[in-house]
Amino acid sequence: MARRRRVSSSIWRIFSVICAGCCCDCAVRVAESRMSQNPETSRPASEPADSDCDVLVLGGGPGGYSAAFRSADLGRRVILVEQYATLGGVCLNVGCIPSKALLHVTGAMEEARALAAAGVTFAAPQVDLDRLRAHKDGVVRTLTSGLAGMAKGRKVTVVQGFGRFVDAQQIEVALPDGGSRRIRFAQAIVAAGSRPVRLPFLPESPRIVTSTGALALPAIPRRLLVIGGGIIGLEMATVYSALGSRITVAELGPTLMPGADRDLVKVWQKKNAWRFDRLLLDTGVVAARVLPESSAGERGEKRAETVASGELGKTGKMGNSAETGKTGEFAESAEFADSADIEVTFSNGETEVFDGVLVAVGRAPNGGLIGAEQAGIAVDARGFIPVDATMRTNVPHIFAVGDIVGQPMLAHKAVHEAHVAAVVAAGGKDAFDPLQIPSVAYTDPELAWTGKSERQCRDEGIAYGKSVFPWAASGRALANGRDEGFTKLIFDEQTHRVIGGGIVGPHAGDLIGEISLAIELGADASDIGRTIHPHPTLGETIGLAAEVFEGTCTDLPAARKR
C-alpha cells in the first residue's frame, strides 16, 4: 500500500506541472475519481474532522489568498486549500503575470525595430526560447515564493489538494499522496475560480492549446490560428507575432474585444493590421482534424534535416516584420515537432491548415466542481454562485468571491471582493459596490476602459457627453513616436461628473487608474481639468480631455465653451 501511495504522489506531481490551470479539468477529474473510488479518500460525512478552523478558504488565487490573508489579519484561524503546489491561482501561475512577462520582452523587441525610423538600427534579435521560458518562470517563482512567505508569516495553514464540500460545515481534500483530509470550518470563503472553455469538437493534439499551453512556449508556429478575438487571444497573438508567427483570428461575434468601445478598438486594429494574415469576424470554427500521420512524418524529416544542417537550435532569428513577413526558425518541443498540422473548417465553409491553434473563447466558472450542493450552496446553470453585496451566498456562513461569482472575471475585482468577504465574516460592516471596474488589454497599443462605455450609456438611456484628446497633440506621445492613441472621458450631461472613460495607446493600463478614482470620487470635468498634471506626460492627456469638455483647452483649436 505504501508503494502504491508513492506512485500516486508522483503522478499527482506530474499532473500539477502539466495541468496547472489548463483548459481541461483533468486534475479535477483525477481528484474526483480518487475521492469516489478510494475507500481511504471517500469518507462518511459523520466521520470526525482531521482539523478545524474559523475560516476555510477554497482556492489560492488572488481572491483566495487575499481573503485568507485579510482574515488572518483580523485575528481568525485560517486554512487555505489550493489544488496546486503554489499559491497565486491562474492569474499568477498561468495567466496575468507570465503573459505580461512575455509581452514586456516582445514589446521591447518591437520597440527596438521601430527605432529604425529615428535612425537607430539593431541586428535581428536572437531568441533563445529556453531562456525566455526561464525568464517568465523566474518572475512567477519570485511572486509565488513571496505569497508562501506571507502565508507563513500570517500563520495561514496551506493545504495542497482538491477540496469538495461534504456538508455545510466540512470540506474534504484529496491530497497529492492519495490520502484525504477532512477540515471542519465555522465559515468558508469560496474562491475556486474558473477554467478555459473547451470546444468539444477539437481533437487532442499538442498543436491545439489554451492560453496555458501557449504561455509554455512549446514552439513558434509559422501559422497560428487564434480562436476568439477577446483580450486573452489578442494578447497571446501579440506575443507570438513578435516571435515570428503569422496570425489568423476567428471571432464568432461582429467585433474584437467586445467590452471596449469601437473607437478604441479601431485604433488598435489599424496599428496591428500588419500582424494578421486574416481577421475573420462573424466567423466560428465548426470542425477541425489532425492531418494524416504522413504529414507529421514529413515534417519530422524536414526538421531533422534542418537540425542536421545547423539551421535550427535553441537560438533562432526572428524574421517576422511588417516589411518582410518572414518567419525564422526556433527550437520546438519534440512533442510539437512530431505531431501533424491541424486542418480547420470555418463557419463560412472555408478550410485552412495551421501548424498551431490557440483556443481563447472565454472562461467557465468552477461552481459545479466543488460539491456545492452538499453544502446547500446555490449554483446557477452556468456554474456561477450568486452572492449579495457582502459576498454572502444563500448559506449565511459561506461566502464566495472572484470569477466564480460572475463577470467581469478579473483579478483586481476578486481582491476587493475578498476583502469585503473577510471583513463581513469577521463581524464587520462592508459591501462590494464599486461604481467602476477597469479593464485593460495589454496589447500594443494597450486599451483600457472603466465605468460606463458609450454603448452602455446608449443602452441604458443615459444622457452623456464625451470629450477626446488626441495623442497627436501630445508632446510626449510625439516624442515617443506613438501618437496613434487618444484619451476619452464620458460625462453625465447634467452634472458634468465623469462616469466613464477609455484610453488607447502605450501604458493605457497604467493611466486608467486616475479616471477610475475620478468616477469613485464623483469628480466633474472642472475637478480633473484644474488638477495640475506634470508636463510632458501621457497622463496629462486626461486633464486635457477634461478641458476639452469644458471648452478651456488651449492645446487644441478653440472649441465652444459649455
Side-chain angles (χ1 to χ4, degrees):
M1 191 66 188
R3 181 179 178 182
R4 187 175 181 181
R5 183 161 296 178
R6 283 196 296 271
V7 173
S8 297
S9 178
S10 299
I11 293 173
W12 183 273
R13 284 196 295 271
I14 292 170
F15 264 90
S16 294
V17 172
I18 295 176
C19 300
C22 72
C23 73
C24 63
D25 52 353
C26 46
V28 172
R29 292 198 297 268
V30 168
E32 289 178 329
S33 174
R34 191 180 274 164
M35 295 178 78
S36 62
Q37 297 176 13
N38 187 338
E40 289 187 6
T41 302
S42 202
R43 297 153 54 176
S46 59
E47 187 172 318
D50 300 305
S51 52
D52 68 276
C53 60
D54 297 330
V55 179
L56 182 287
V57 179
L58 181 59
Y65 72 72
S66 297
F69 294 175
R70 186 73 182 104
S71 295
D73 291 345
L74 292 169
R76 317 297 301 284
R77 293 182 302 121
V78 181
I79 295 179
L80 171 59
V81 176
E82 166 56 37
Q83 181 176 356
Y84 300 109
T86 57
L87 298 180
V90 169
C91 174
L92 201 159
N93 289 282
V94 289
C96 317
I97 301 304
S99 64
K100 302 313 166 285
L102 294 177
L103 284 163
H104 171 73
V105 171
T106 54
M109 291 167 58
E110 295 192 337
E111 283 185 18
R113 188 177 65 208
L115 285 176
V120 180
T121 58
F122 300 90
Q126 303 291 311
V127 179
D128 184 332
L129 277 185
D130 289 338
R131 292 179 65 183
L132 183 55
R133 293 184 195 105
H135 165 72
K136 165 185 65 75
D137 294 342
V139 172
V140 171
R141 190 163 49 250
T142 297
L143 289 171
T144 56
S145 62
L147 288 177
M150 287 191 284
K152 183 177 180 180
R154 286 178 163 88
K155 294 182 172 56
V156 171
T157 300
V158 178
V159 176
Q160 184 191 351
F162 182 79
R164 290 173 59 90
F165 285 96
V166 175
D167 54 37
Q169 298 292 162
Q170 295 183 100
I171 196 166
E172 190 165 320
V173 183
L175 301 174
D177 65 2
S180 69
R181 180 172 174 178
R182 182 73 59 83
I183 303 170
R184 186 171 186 82
F185 56 84
Q187 295 172 306
I189 300 175
V190 180
S194 63
R195 63 197 184 280
V197 171
R198 305 175 66 190
L199 297 179
F201 57 83
L202 291 178
E204 293 293 329
S205 169
R207 293 173 179 270
I208 300 176
V209 297
T210 63
S211 57
T212 299
L215 287 167
L217 293 175
I220 306 302
R222 289 163 178 78
R223 300 188 66 238
L224 175 66
L225 170 65
V226 178
I227 305 177
I231 291 175
I232 294 174
L234 296 181
E235 286 183 354
M236 294 312 302
T238 300
V239 169
Y240 274 83
S241 169
L243 292 175
S245 296
R246 292 299 304 172
I247 310 293
T248 293
V249 175
E251 165 56 41
L252 189 60
T255 61
L256 300 172
M257 290 186 269
D261 276 331
R262 296 304 88 205
D263 52 355
L264 300 172
V265 177
K266 285 180 180 178
V267 173
W268 174 88
Q269 197 164 334
K270 181 179 179 181
K271 182 72 173 178
N272 285 272
W274 66 271
R275 292 188 192 276
F276 303 102
D277 286 342
R278 292 202 294 172
L279 287 174
L280 303 173
L281 301 178
D282 292 312
T283 304
V285 172
V286 297
R289 71 183 183 99
V290 179
L291 290 180
E293 288 293 329
S294 58
S295 300
E298 291 172 5
R299 180 178 171 84
E301 291 173 7
K302 290 179 181 178
R303 181 179 182 277
E305 292 171 3
T306 305
V307 172
S309 66
E311 294 178 11
L312 176 62
K314 282 188 177 181
T315 303
K317 290 186 177 181
M318 190 282 291
N320 184 16
S321 70
E323 294 78 21
T324 67
K326 295 179 180 178
T327 304
E329 300 286 358
F330 291 88
E332 298 177 341
S333 68
E335 186 180 33
F336 184 96
D338 293 339
S339 57
D341 292 346
I342 308 299
E343 183 183 78
V344 173
T345 302
F346 297 108
S347 57
N348 59 13
E350 296 181 12
T351 298
E352 198 165 347
V353 176
F354 299 90
D355 53 350
V357 177
L358 167 60
V359 182
V361 294
R363 300 187 65 84
N366 289 329
L369 305 178
I370 59 173
E373 68 282 358
Q374 301 298 321
I377 303 170
V379 180
D380 71 17
R382 294 179 297 169
F384 289 113
I385 296 177
V387 294
D388 62 19
T390 68
M391 310 313 299
R392 197 186 303 268
T393 70
N394 64 304
V395 180
H397 65 282
I398 298 178
F399 301 77
V401 303
D403 291 3
I404 207 166
V405 305
Q407 299 286 357
M409 292 183 175
L410 297 169
H412 43 279
K413 164 182 162 284
V415 169
H416 284 265
E417 290 174 335
H419 291 172
V420 170
V423 168
V424 174
K429 292 185 178 180
D430 205 348
F432 184 73
D433 59 350
L435 296 175
Q436 56 74 47
I437 300 173
S439 294
V440 182
Y442 295 93
T443 49
D444 182 25
E446 291 183 4
L447 282 74
W449 61 96
T450 189
K452 299 290 187 184
S453 66
E454 288 193 69
R455 184 179 62 184
Q456 285 178 302
C457 288
R458 290 191 293 268
D459 291 346
E460 297 173 19
I462 298 173
Y464 73 96
K466 73 171 182 178
S467 62
V468 173
F469 188 84
W471 284 19
S474 163
R476 184 59 183 270
L478 287 164
N480 291 348
R482 296 298 302 269
D483 63 345
E484 73 273 10
F486 64 82
T487 298
K488 175 174 71 173
L489 297 178
I490 299 172
F491 298 91
D492 182 292
E493 188 65 49
Q494 299 301 317
T495 65
H496 289 195
R497 287 186 174 181
V498 60
I499 57 174
I503 303 173
V504 56
H507 306 293
D510 298 321
L511 302 175
I512 199 69
E514 180 178 345
I515 303 177
S516 299
L517 180 62
I519 294 171
E520 293 289 353
L521 294 180
D524 62 20
S526 178
D527 294 326
I528 301 171
R530 288 177 177 270
T531 298
I532 299 175
H533 293 73
H535 173 80
T537 62
L538 299 176
E540 70 180 326
T541 63
I542 297 172
L544 293 169
E547 290 182 357
V548 169
F549 186 77
E550 291 285 280
T552 61
C553 182
T554 55
D555 286 69
L556 292 175
R560 176 178 59 87
K561 287 189 177 182
R562 289 179 175 266

